[in-house]
Amino acid sequence: RHFPHSIHDSTKQVSVIVPIYNAVDDVVACLSRLISYTTKPARLILIDDASTDPKISEILSRCALFTNVQVFRNERNLGYTKTINVGIGHAGTDDVVLLNSDARVTPRWLEGLRSAVASDARIGTATAMSDRAGAFSAPSMGNDNPLPENCDEEGYAKAFRRNSAALFPEVTTGNGFCMYIRRKLIDEIGLFDEEAFPRGYGEENDFCMRAARRGWMHVIDDRTYVFHERSKSFGTERIELIQQGREVVDRRYPEYAKLISSFK
């Protein structure tokens, strides 16, 4: 696969943060799509969390040649949550988008997320729809939505946008696989809790619950479809990380279980 030869310059109004750890095939697909389809002026912040695969360094060196791409490398593995906090720091005063390195964006993805957030001043986050993102999946909730026959991902996403009602439904929390965050929200409630959720899984739920208690809303951008491979970087640790994160969220927010069970 080849990276495109040009991309619009950044106005630094929004920064897309991509934390990276190995999984080279997913990273190549993610960054190729990201560079191709991020047509809204944006800064792309790529952070290598001390990957052990030398191919990651080669790929990021190529990406660093683009004028609006910044590449950072952690000297040691910091874990997902600390890495995204580092990225938010690099973003300065920008709004930010958290994008997993196994996500594949589609045409007009960032314009869609920006429009969703702009639809109400108290919307703090907007999350894209996906094929594999749990409750944010379509046409069926869950993590298995194969493409129709004779349809590619870009074509499917375009059809999804054309047929969307643009309702921007409100949800209890966003999903960090592809989540736009308003800078005003970060300024008000602070960063993600890297002590309680060092490896990820639960950090966005905690962040969004803190925001909700301060009157912020979270919505789904029901026009934007981003594909997702789901969590290859964590391997077999994933189930344990999910359980640990959920225990912390339930303890901190007794209302959480009832709120998510009411979302259909």
Side-chain angles (χ1 to χ4, degrees):
R1 302 190 59 155
H2 300 284
F3 292 103
H5 295 293
S6 64
I7 189 169
H8 292 273
D9 289 334
S10 171
T11 63
K12 299 184 180 178
Q13 295 177 344
V14 58
S15 289
V16 181
I17 299 168
V18 186
I20 293 166
Y21 181 73
N22 292 334
V24 65
D25 290 342
D26 289 340
V27 170
V28 169
C30 171
L31 299 184
S32 180
R33 289 280 193 90
L34 183 62
I35 291 171
S36 293
Y37 293 136
T38 307
T39 53
K40 187 80 176 179
R43 176 167 45 162
L44 309 182
I45 296 175
L46 315 180
I47 307 178
D48 178 10
D49 192 17
S51 294
T52 58
D53 188 336
K55 292 180 181 178
I56 294 294
S57 180
E58 297 172 13
I59 292 164
L60 295 183
S61 293
R62 292 169 58 196
C63 291
L65 299 175
F66 294 102
T67 57
N68 69 326
V69 174
Q70 291 183 301
V71 173
F72 299 92
R73 293 178 175 88
N74 297 339
E75 293 185 3
R76 59 183 178 84
N77 185 267
L78 299 181
Y80 175 82
T81 309
K82 187 171 288 188
T83 297
I84 61 174
N85 282 343
V86 168
I88 290 170
H90 288 312
T93 59
D94 293 358
D95 287 357
V96 300
V97 179
L98 304 183
L99 185 72
N100 280 9
S101 62
D102 58 358
R104 300 184 300 280
V105 300
T106 54
R108 298 187 59 78
W109 76 280
L110 186 54
E111 291 90 332
L113 288 170
R114 287 173 69 99
S115 294
V117 170
S119 65
D120 190 298
R122 291 305 290 175
I123 292 176
T125 75
T127 299
M129 297 294 294
S130 185
D131 56 335
R132 298 183 181 93
F136 297 83
S137 303
S140 299
M141 284 190 183
N143 300 311
D144 186 18
N145 284 285
L147 282 174
E149 289 187 21
N150 302 316
C151 183
D152 62 18
E153 292 182 347
E154 291 88 342
Y156 187 86
K158 290 177 181 178
F160 193 88
R161 183 178 299 278
R162 285 196 301 269
N163 288 281
S164 170
L167 298 175
F168 303 140
E170 187 174 354
V171 288
T172 303
T173 71
N175 187 314
F177 93 97
C178 181
M179 184 169 74
Y180 191 109
I181 308 172
R182 196 189 290 264
R183 173 58 64 167
K184 288 182 180 178
L185 170 56
I186 297 170
D187 291 342
E188 184 173 324
I189 72 169
L191 298 172
F192 290 82
D193 187 342
E194 60 193 45
E195 300 301 324
F197 309 95
R199 300 294 303 279
Y201 292 102
E203 79 291 335
E204 79 264 56
N205 308 88
D206 176 78
F207 179 86
C208 290
M209 290 299 293
R210 274 192 282 139
R213 285 184 171 183
R214 300 288 288 269
W216 290 91
M217 298 186 297
H218 311 290
V219 301
I220 302 174
D221 175 8
D222 56 334
R223 299 182 305 170
T224 300
Y225 203 91
V226 173
F227 292 84
H228 187 211
E229 286 299 317
R230 282 190 74 87
S231 310
K232 288 182 180 177
S233 294
F234 288 99
T236 57
E237 289 183 80
R238 180 172 174 268
I239 295 175
E240 183 179 351
L241 289 167
I242 291 173
Q243 182 178 357
Q244 291 173 352
R246 178 61 189 268
E247 288 173 357
V248 174
V249 171
D250 283 337
R251 185 166 62 250
R252 290 181 174 180
Y253 310 101
E255 70 273 28
Y256 177 76
K258 183 176 181 181
L259 287 170
I260 62 170
S261 68
S262 65
F263 178 73
K264 303 293 184 183

